[in-house]
Amino acid sequence: MSESTAYVDTGGVSAETRTDSALTVTAKEVVSQGVVALTLTHPDGRRLPDWAPGAHIDLILPTGVTRQYSLCGDRWDPRSYRIGVLREPAGRGGSAFVHDVLAVGDSVGVGGPRNNFPMVPAPRYLFVAGGIGITPLIPMIAQAELMGIEWTLLYGGRTRTSMGFLDELSFYGDRVVLAPQDEVGLLDLPTWLGAAAADDTKVYVCGPEPLLDAVETGCSGWLVGKLRMERFVPKRQSAPVRTVPFELELARSGLVVTVTPDGSVLDAVQKAGVTVLSSCREGTCGTCETTVLAGQPDHRDSILDDSERDNADCMFICVSRSCSDRLVLDL
């Protein structure tokens, strides 16, 4: 990094600092058409675990549904979390419950925070958001602003009224470029990404899958680490490397178990009586991250980048499998 690069706290959160408790909804506000923001606090006013830009929490609803939402409030406020929730008509009921049932004063389970989308040092940033993908980028913008780092936000949505948090983003003036699709069409990614490719800008992107696919295509050939993305839904995967069973050695437990082609590593481990925290079971939340001591994982998550996959020292066992006959896990 150049001497002008400032340090940005990546905010790693260990399992020991997870909240895993009931918090109280102390505010609920409509921030755009189809998006509400919730503020959550401890019922006794206690300090909550610290977090850094890019972190998310699990919202564990009374219906039994668990969903992950990016923290979008003030990271320096030690006693509240803020999240934005998009109503998803085609979803599985979690967002509908938040919008229609959850009220100020209600208790809701919360797990985390965890950070799979850390903000790393750079002399300048380009933030690209699509719709509700603005939420993890709001604290990143605040952090860059605090540290005097150059940044620009390119923010698209279906319509201006569907784009959340515009009031607070207006504070930043022309560094925020709004691009409602019904007014200006699709985001001009070639122009923005082309400019970022020529210097030390790091690009952070979050939003719907078509946006992420378009950005990935536009950034093909870039150096690893220059582009960072967060997905709300699993990335499309090719077929598993192996179609036959493989063995798991659980080093700490002294057990050897078999994973069949139709079962997951997580299922096999839990059937053996070994407890592993899990949440999404889609390879997007990061809860079930497990250290690999030997063997070659078949990474099937939507979290790790290429260099992290090449290291082969961890895997997300809800979806990832094995390229080798045997994997040794630190469980």
Side-chain angles (χ1 to χ4, degrees), residues 66-84:
T66 299
R67 293 290 180 268
Q68 288 74 44
Y69 296 103
S70 297
L71 290 166
C72 62
D74 179 3
R75 67 164 297 197
W76 303 110
D77 178 355
R79 288 181 168 79
S80 73
Y81 290 154
R82 188 187 190 209
I83 58 173

Side-chain angles (χ1 to χ4, degrees), residues 248 264-270 276-278 281 288-292 314-321 327 329 331:
L248 289 178
S264 71
V265 172
L266 177 62
D267 289 338
V269 168
Q270 291 180 332
V276 178
L277 291 174
S278 65
R281 291 183 175 262
C288 66
E289 182 176 1
T290 301
T291 298
V292 178
C314 73
M315 63 187 289
F316 298 95
I317 63 174
C318 65
V319 292
S320 295
R321 303 184 64 79
L327 278 179
L329 304 182
L331 290 174

Side-chain angles (χ1 to χ4, degrees), residues 24-207:
T24 301
V25 180
T26 52
K28 180 179 182 179
E29 58 178 321
V30 176
V31 293
S32 73
Q33 184 179 54
V35 178
V36 296
L38 301 181
T39 300
L40 308 168
T41 62
H42 193 281
D44 297 331
R46 298 178 192 170
R47 183 186 182 102
L48 301 176
D50 294 338
W51 60 280
H56 69 269
I57 58 172
D58 298 326
L59 203 64
I60 307 163
L61 300 173
T63 58
V65 171
T66 299
R67 293 290 180 268
Q68 288 74 44
Y69 296 103
S70 297
L71 290 166
C72 62
D74 179 3
R75 67 164 297 197
W76 303 110
D77 178 355
R79 288 181 168 79
S80 73
Y81 290 154
R82 188 187 190 209
I83 58 173
V85 180
L86 170 70
R87 180 189 287 275
E88 300 182 82
R92 290 172 285 179
S95 66
F97 184 91
V98 171
H99 277 253
D100 299 336
V101 180
L102 199 63
V104 171
D106 287 349
S107 292
V108 62
V110 171
R114 288 181 301 278
N115 201 340
N116 303 321
F117 193 41
M119 186 179 182
V120 298
R124 62 191 60 82
Y125 297 97
L126 171 62
F127 302 112
V128 182
I132 196 62
I134 188 61
T135 50
L137 302 183
I138 291 173
M140 293 188 185
I141 290 169
Q143 184 80 359
E145 184 73 3
L146 177 66
M147 303 187 73
I149 303 173
E150 182 182 342
W151 63 270
T152 303
L153 169 67
L154 179 62
Y155 181 14
R158 296 186 310 279
T159 65
R160 192 174 295 267
T161 57
S162 72
M163 297 165 66
F165 307 98
L166 292 187
D167 287 345
E168 57 197 81
L169 290 171
S170 66
F171 170 80
Y172 298 113
D174 60 7
R175 284 172 294 176
V176 175
V177 179
L178 300 180
Q181 187 174 346
D182 65 337
E183 297 177 23
V184 300
L186 297 176
L187 297 177
D188 184 9
L189 293 176
T191 297
W192 287 94
L193 296 177
D199 56 30
D200 293 331
T201 300
K202 279 195 176 1
V203 179
Y204 277 75
V205 187
C206 189

